[in-house]
Amino acid sequence: MADTNRGVVYEGPGRVEVEDLEFPKLELDEQNHRKLEHGAILKTIATNICGSDQHMVRGRTTAPAGLSLGHEITGEVVETGRDVEFIKKGDLVSVPFNIACGRCRNCKERNTGVCENVNPARAGAAYGYVDMGGWHGGQAQYVTVPYADWNLLKLPGDRDRTMAKIKDLAMLSDIFPTGYHGAYTAGVTTGSTVYVAGAGPVGLACATACFLLGAAVVIVGDMNAERLAQARSFGCETVDLSQHDDLGEQIAQILGTPEVDAAVDCVGFEARGHGREAGGERPATVLNSLMDVTRAAGGLGIPGLYVTGDPGGVDENAKIGQLGIRFGLGWAKSLTFATGQCPVMRYNRQLMMAILNDRVEIAKNVNATVIPLEEAPAGYQEFDKGAARKYVIDPNNLVGAGV
């Protein structure tokens, strides 16, 4: 087995570099030497750039320079700890971005996004992310995964079948379950009309999930023409938020009514104003607009990221995640709200089966684009400019860059 490693490192606002890293160990860190005999070391097959990573790289979180990045990981097991029983060397696996112990109350209740034992600061942890427990990122050639029997989803079947669908399967670590979670918790079901705010990769994954759940009409809103075109490519209706102020009026032109049954926020805290207000950052604008256009007794799914610390916030309230939300409107309409990290393990096996049995083409819908590890900084730059792509990093040249 190799003893060298390279990966993507955050070096400060606007700067990421590919650097030599220490080869993973079955230990948490050098400070406390917590043994991870329940863990595994993976050779990374695919690892994606996420919009949440982009928030850090823009300097919109308290992430420290030197943080290794990446929480969307698919890999091959190359080593297991003494206590791992069921995951074996050579297994191809998907890694939920949530790190979970499988032992605490929240894990046992399937709330793995807020595991109580993997982050000393607060509930919930993730690989390579600020305030998420100090775990090393997976945009690297090799990475350590704790609690391997619990966390890892083994990809079934022979290797050739798995690799033939690897771009689709690479979406199981985060954006496909996250998009599905947003749709499911908003109450999307057979015959639903749905508005999805944001046509980035998570928004497109959410729209895909809405169709999988049986939605009759899925409307996607954004201000990026290329991303809206990508949404239309698999059957979505779209609204260009840079052109109009009245979202309800645009929805009425599609549905004949200004309201939808369910709505999903796939934008988060860096939301910008619509129409005449376009260009300025308005962190509550998406949440308020969703409350406007969702019917009474409807549901809002909110998988879009909101943070408790934003150095670049537009005002003092925004810097601590305190937003001007019209909660009274939501209360008056008896709306339901679902927030927080997606508990990936609640959905990933079912979505894997949909992929393997040709029920969904998630990689095509999000325009998955494979790049080699050394091109990761360029991928970050292009994604930040609004590229209608989901960048999949191929650290060990196992997927085939450009396919």
Side-chain angles (χ1 to χ4, degrees):
M1 185 171 64
D3 59 0
T4 60
N5 193 25
R6 284 178 65 76
V8 180
V9 177
Y10 170 65
E11 295 293 0
R15 293 191 299 117
V16 296
E17 301 289 345
V18 178
E19 300 179 3
D20 291 333
L21 303 174
E22 184 179 3
F23 192 82
K25 301 176 182 177
L26 293 175
E27 296 178 357
L28 178 58
D29 56 44
E30 294 179 356
Q31 282 70 44
N32 61 27
H33 292 284
R34 179 179 173 185
K35 294 292 184 181
L36 299 181
E37 296 292 357
H38 47 67
I41 296 175
L42 306 187
K43 182 177 184 178
T44 305
I45 295 174
T47 177
N48 314 330
I49 297 175
C50 179
S52 298
D53 298 322
Q54 203 70 63
H55 291 304
M56 286 190 295
V57 173
R58 290 189 189 117
R60 297 300 298 269
T61 71
T62 55
L67 179 69
S68 60
L69 299 178
H71 56 270
E72 300 190 16
I73 308 163
T74 308
E76 178 182 357
V77 177
V78 295
E79 183 180 344
T80 59
R82 178 192 60 201
D83 298 335
V84 178
E85 294 185 71
F86 307 112
I87 291 293
K88 304 299 183 184
K89 182 177 179 180
D91 286 347
L92 303 187
V93 294
S94 176
V95 185
F97 79 91
N98 323 109
I99 299 172
C101 71
R103 296 155 168 81
C104 69
R105 173 181 175 177
N106 283 344
C107 283
K108 290 180 179 181
E109 293 178 353
R110 302 185 76 198
N111 295 314
T112 53
V114 281
C115 173
E116 298 172 318
N117 289 330
V118 288
N119 183 351
R122 61 185 181 191
Y127 304 91
Y129 209 84
V130 60
D131 297 331
M132 283 291 174
W135 300 87
H136 293 300
Q139 288 173 10
Q141 292 174 305
Y142 295 88
V143 65
T144 297
V145 174
Y147 304 105
D149 281 328
W150 171 252
N151 282 302
L152 295 178
L153 174 66
K154 183 178 176 180
L155 303 176
D158 61 47
R159 187 183 184 95
D160 289 344
R161 183 189 183 206
T162 297
M163 292 304 294
K165 291 184 176 290
I166 197 64
K167 288 197 292 183
D168 297 278
L169 295 167
M171 303 304 141
L172 292 173
S173 57
D174 184 353
I175 69 162
F176 197 13
T178 292
Y180 190 95
H181 179 64
Y184 182 80
T185 56
V188 177
T189 187
T190 305
S192 294
T193 58
V194 191
Y195 174 67
V196 177
V202 170
L204 296 174
C206 179
T208 301
C210 289
F211 286 125
L212 195 59
L213 286 163
V217 182
V218 180
I219 304 168
V220 179
D222 205 297
M223 293 180 281
N224 182 315
E226 186 181 0
R227 288 181 170 180
L228 290 174
Q230 184 65 28
R232 288 192 295 272
S233 75
F234 60 95
C236 299
E237 301 288 340
T238 60
V239 293
D240 186 342
L241 299 170
S242 68
Q243 301 301 314
H244 304 278
D245 291 307
D246 193 331
L247 176 58
E249 181 180 307
Q250 294 181 83
I251 289 174
Q253 290 175 7
I254 298 168
L255 298 177
T257 176
E259 293 185 322
V260 292
D261 297 320
V264 188
D265 175 2
C266 295
V267 177
F269 73 104
E270 287 193 64
R272 309 189 75 79
H274 303 163
R276 287 177 298 227
E277 296 179 347
E281 193 167 299
R282 296 176 179 270
T285 192
V286 170
L287 293 172
N288 287 330
S289 66
L290 296 196
M291 286 190 281
D292 275 332
V293 302
T294 303
R295 70 174 181 86
L300 272 62
I302 312 173
L305 176 67
Y306 288 86
V307 296
T308 55
D310 174 11
V314 293
D315 55 36
E316 293 306 309
N317 284 329
K319 289 178 180 179
I320 58 171
Q322 186 166 300
L323 310 181
I325 299 170
R326 295 183 63 200
F327 192 75
L329 174 62
W331 189 94
K333 295 178 75 173
S334 294
L335 300 176
T336 60
F337 298 78
T339 67
Q341 284 187 43
C342 165
V344 171
M345 293 174 67
R346 195 178 296 178
Y347 310 106
N348 62 351
R349 185 187 181 279
Q350 300 95 306
L351 295 176
M352 175 187 72
M353 294 304 292
I355 290 169
L356 292 176
N357 291 285
D358 300 319
R359 298 302 180 190
V360 66
E361 295 182 293
I362 182 64
K364 178 181 176 182
N365 290 1
V366 302
N367 196 16
T369 303
V370 181
I371 59 174
L373 179 63
E374 298 300 327
E375 291 182 16
Y380 269 94
Q381 290 177 359
E382 292 168 15
F383 187 40
D384 194 43
K385 292 175 182 176
R389 299 174 182 273
K390 175 66 173 178
Y391 286 102
V392 178
I393 301 171
D394 182 9
N396 290 295
N397 301 314
L398 297 173
V399 180
V403 301

